[in-house]
């Protein structure tokens, strides 16, 4: 069994390996919790005394690439291949009964629903419109195929039983539009406090009709146990901490936002879909999870599935592609670094074109050779500085679809640029040979040197 079978087994594992911090002093949900979590980015942090609540809040449960690989039970170098294999071969879920489902140990329905009384939801950023659920798996069912879809949408609390939701035009939106045309609500469940593997699976780039919970099963190596919700026809992970059951109301739009988003800017306020909540179910002594926007947890959970998809797309065009990274400086969304073993003239450019085609979010592409460490931004910049000539190695595509959250675009219309930083195949190889000191790599600094103490260097003449 992988260490991350549930949120709790994962927290036990993080604690045992000294990567879980705890904040025991009272912490305010308005800014203070997010501020502390952000300063501790890279570690998991549990807040046990959130003002006004007895429920603890956790954040940063997978805030490094190594933690995500570990949660999936694989080496970091195998993470993208493992994720790709899971997307290609989903494993159907396993249904359990209500009595077995820890997420339904307590049921609050109808008039007992009071989001703010039950859920410790933080206000994250200075100009956010309010308190948000940011780590909720949003699950809906296609009434035609009965297949479910899972995604994460930001949810602003707007009443005792009401959320405003940002639902971008992808799979959930498609089902919501179809329901709305029939004048019908779309039932949904919002799952908070889930294992990191299922969180990662929810971000897979898949065709419409693939159930992301089945990808979670494939990643876990065993079917994900699910239970039917108590008030809606949706199946949810049985071991979750909280499940919020409800429906997206047809023909209703209410203001949502602004909200600090992954590009480190605010997503705007506008009229958005509304979720009306019919029940909240939870474990005994539940733990609430919040993802601080633009923190490493947020960037990596989105970035790694994007990398897996990007690697597949580039491989169609350039079979000798080695690896890809969505770089952290561009929040794992806008900058793709593609490493290829170039065999044929022009393949660097083909790799750029393939990367543009993979996702409209990809804005700038850097293609590098196998000797460049693509997880090191300084090494990628070195290749850009010394192997790239703009008159020969640059691709510019004007007025393409980009990200609407990129403030430099015209409502998402923007320019794509590709940088082929590979060495020309016919170049003199010595001109491109990286300098190297023999033996340097084998030196362990702590084993050969100690801090100097007790020596005197300056004499009277130095002191004037
Ligand atoms: Mn989907």
């Amino acid at each position: 069994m992988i260490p991350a079978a549930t949120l709790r087994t994962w927290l036990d594992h993080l604690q045992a390996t000294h990567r879980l911090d705890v904040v025991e002093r009272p912490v305010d949900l308005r800014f203070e919790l997010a501020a502390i979590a952000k300063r501790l980015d890279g570690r998991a942090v549990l807040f046990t005394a959130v003002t006004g609540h007895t429920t603890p809040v956790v954040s940063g449960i997978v805030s490094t690439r190594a933690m995500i690989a570990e949660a999936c039970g694989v080496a970091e170098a195998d993470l993208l291949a493992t994720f790709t294999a899971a997307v290609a071969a989903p494993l159907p879920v396993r249904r359990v009964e209500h009595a077995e489902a820890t997420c339904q140990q307590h049921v609050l329905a109808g008039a007992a629903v009071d989001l703010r009384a039950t859920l410790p939801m933080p206000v994250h950023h200075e100009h956010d419109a309010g308190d948000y659920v940011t780590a909720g798996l949003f699950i809906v069912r296609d009434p035609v195929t009965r297949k479910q879809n899972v995604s994460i949408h930001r949810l602003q609390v707007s009443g005792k039983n009401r959320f405003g939701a940002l639902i971008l035009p992808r799979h959930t939106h498609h089902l919501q539009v179809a329901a709305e045309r029939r004048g019908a609500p779309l039932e949904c469940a919002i799952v908070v406090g889930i294992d990191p593997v299922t969180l990662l699976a929810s971000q897979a780039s898949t065709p419409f009709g693939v159930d992301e919970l089945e990808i979670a099963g494939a990643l876990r190596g065993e079917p994900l146990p699910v239970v039917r919700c108590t008030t809606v026809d949706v199946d949810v992970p049985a071991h979750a901490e909280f499940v919020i059951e409800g429906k997206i109301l047809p023909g209703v739009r209410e203001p949502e936002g602004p909200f600090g988003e992954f590009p480190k800017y605010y997503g705007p306020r506008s009229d958005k879909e509304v979720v009306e909540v019919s029940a909240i179910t939870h474990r005994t002594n539940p733990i609430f999870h919040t993802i601080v926007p633009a923190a490493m947890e947020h960037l990596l959970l989105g970035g790694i599935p994007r990398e897996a998809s990007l690697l597949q797309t580039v491989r169609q065009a350039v079979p000798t592609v080695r690896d890809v990274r969505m770089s952290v400086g561009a929040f794992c969304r806008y900058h793709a670094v593609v490493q290829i073993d170039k065999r044929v003239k022009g393949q660097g450019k083909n790799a750029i074109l393939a990367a543009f085609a993979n996702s409209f979010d990809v804005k700038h592409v850097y293609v590098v050779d196998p000797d460049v460490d693509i997880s090191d931004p300084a090494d990628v910049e070195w290749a850009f500085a010394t192997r790239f000539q703009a008159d020969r190695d640059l691709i510019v595509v004007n007025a393409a679809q980009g990200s609407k959250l990129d403030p430099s675009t015209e409502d998402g219309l923007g320019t794509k640029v590709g940088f082929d930083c590979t060495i020309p195949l016919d170049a003199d190889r010595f001109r491109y040979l990286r300098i190297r000191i023999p033996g340097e790599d084998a030196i362990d600094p702590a084993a050969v040197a100690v801090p100097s103490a007790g020596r005197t260097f300056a004499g009277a003449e130095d002191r004037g």
Side-chain angles (χ1 to χ4, degrees):
M1 185 182 268
I2 55 172
T6 71
L7 173 64
R8 285 162 189 256
T9 62
W10 181 241
L11 294 180
D12 281 341
H13 178 72
L14 290 177
Q15 180 179 260
T17 51
H18 314 292
R19 287 173 295 176
L20 176 65
D21 290 331
V22 62
V23 178
E24 292 177 328
R25 73 165 166 87
V27 169
D28 203 313
L29 281 171
R30 184 175 170 81
F31 307 140
E32 190 181 13
L33 186 145
I36 295 170
K38 193 71 181 284
R39 288 300 292 266
L40 292 168
D41 200 1
R43 294 177 61 79
V45 55
L46 180 74
F47 299 88
T48 59
V50 175
T51 307
H53 289 266
T54 52
T55 297
V57 179
V58 71
S59 190
I61 63 168
V62 275
S63 47
T64 67
R65 208 176 171 86
M67 281 160 96
I68 293 184
E70 203 176 325
C72 295
V74 299
E76 216 178 301
D78 297 327
L79 183 55
L80 299 187
T82 300
F83 193 81
T84 300
V87 171
L91 199 59
V93 296
R94 176 172 67 87
R95 183 76 72 78
V96 305
E97 294 305 315
H98 167 75
E100 240 188 283
T102 46
C103 72
Q104 293 179 348
Q105 284 169 340
H106 301 264
V107 179
L108 303 164
V113 170
D114 184 344
L115 292 169
R116 286 195 177 101
T118 306
L119 307 170
M121 297 169 291
V123 182
H124 295 94
H125 289 109
E126 186 181 11
H127 295 296
D128 280 4
D131 40 353
Y132 273 79
V133 171
T134 59
L137 295 191
F138 199 101
I139 308 180
V140 296
R141 189 189 294 284
D142 183 338
V144 179
T145 64
R146 303 231 6 110
K147 277 276 188 185
Q148 296 202 142
N149 189 73
V150 187
S151 48
I152 296 178
H153 305 288
R154 71 183 200 221
L155 296 161
Q156 182 188 348
V157 187
S158 55
K160 275 181 94 163
N161 65 344
R162 220 168 168 86
F163 287 113
L166 171 65
I167 299 174
L168 293 171
R170 289 192 282 256
H171 300 161
T172 309
H173 180 77
H174 179 79
L175 291 167
Q176 192 271 327
V177 168
E180 197 162 57
R181 280 207 191 101
R182 299 190 306 273
L186 182 66
E187 292 185 338
C188 61
I190 298 147
V191 180
V192 182
I194 191 73
D195 68 89
V197 174
T198 305
L199 269 178
L200 184 71
S202 77
Q203 299 306 293
S205 309
T206 67
F208 181 73
V210 175
D211 180 352
E212 287 82 0
L213 293 185
E214 298 189 357
I215 296 172
L219 276 174
R220 294 160 64 90
E222 60 181 26
L224 184 75
V226 301
V227 66
R228 179 63 46 86
C229 283
T230 62
T231 61
V232 293
D233 178 24
V234 175
D235 292 333
V236 292
H239 55 274
E241 299 291 321
F242 286 99
V243 179
I244 303 159
E245 305 178 0
K247 60 194 176 194
I248 304 176
L249 302 176
V252 178
R253 298 292 185 276
E254 289 173 3
E256 182 274 345
F259 179 71
E261 271 284 1
F262 65 83
K264 306 180 187 181
Y265 294 107
Y266 291 94
R269 182 175 189 79
S270 64
D271 286 336
K272 309 266 178 37
E273 276 79 0
V274 172
V275 174
E276 190 182 271
V277 176
S278 50
I280 302 172
T281 74
H282 63 84
R283 280 182 74 129
T284 300
N285 299 324
I287 302 168
F288 188 80
H289 178 205
T290 196
I291 294 176
V292 177
M296 287 308 295
E297 179 175 35
H298 185 192
L299 304 186
L300 290 169
L301 283 171
I304 284 159
R306 280 173 167 78
E307 290 173 353
S309 166
L310 176 66
L311 184 57
Q312 290 274 89
T313 307
V314 176
R315 188 163 282 141
Q316 301 273 325
V318 182
T320 51
V321 63
R322 291 276 190 92
D323 205 355
V324 299
R325 281 293 179 282
M326 303 299 302
S327 66
V328 170
F331 36 86
C332 301
R333 299 293 194 283
Y334 292 177
H335 285 184
V337 183
V338 178
Q339 184 183 61
I340 65 169
D341 183 2
K342 188 168 69 173
R343 305 282 175 81
V344 181
K345 277 187 185 176
Q347 273 183 321
K349 299 266 178 70
N350 291 54
I352 291 168
L353 296 171
F356 287 157
N358 176 251
S359 163
F360 65 78
D361 272 338
V362 173
K363 179 178 181 181
H364 298 146
V365 180
Y366 303 82
V367 183
V368 299
D369 294 301
D371 67 319
V372 176
D373 179 358
I374 62 170
S375 56
D376 177 0
D379 212 38
V380 173
E381 187 175 358
W382 172 76
F384 183 36
T386 62
R387 298 178 178 183
F388 170 82
Q389 286 294 323
D391 62 335
R392 169 191 84 183
D393 300 320
L394 182 76
I395 292 180
V396 179
V397 180
N398 296 321
Q401 184 198 0
S403 167
K404 289 191 177 196
L405 287 172
D406 173 356
S408 67
T409 65
E410 303 264 356
D411 194 30
L413 195 69
T415 304
K416 311 283 187 187
V417 182
F419 308 93
D420 180 0
C421 309
T422 58
I423 300 170
L425 284 175
D426 51 9
D428 173 357
R429 300 306 289 189
F430 189 77
R431 277 175 61 83
Y432 285 99
L433 185 66
R434 189 193 295 243
I435 57 169
R436 189 176 81 84
I437 302 173
E440 181 189 348
D441 292 345
I443 302 286
D444 175 4
V448 299
V450 296
S452 178
R455 290 172 186 75
T456 302
F457 297 102
E461 59 273 35
D462 294 292
R463 299 191 189 96

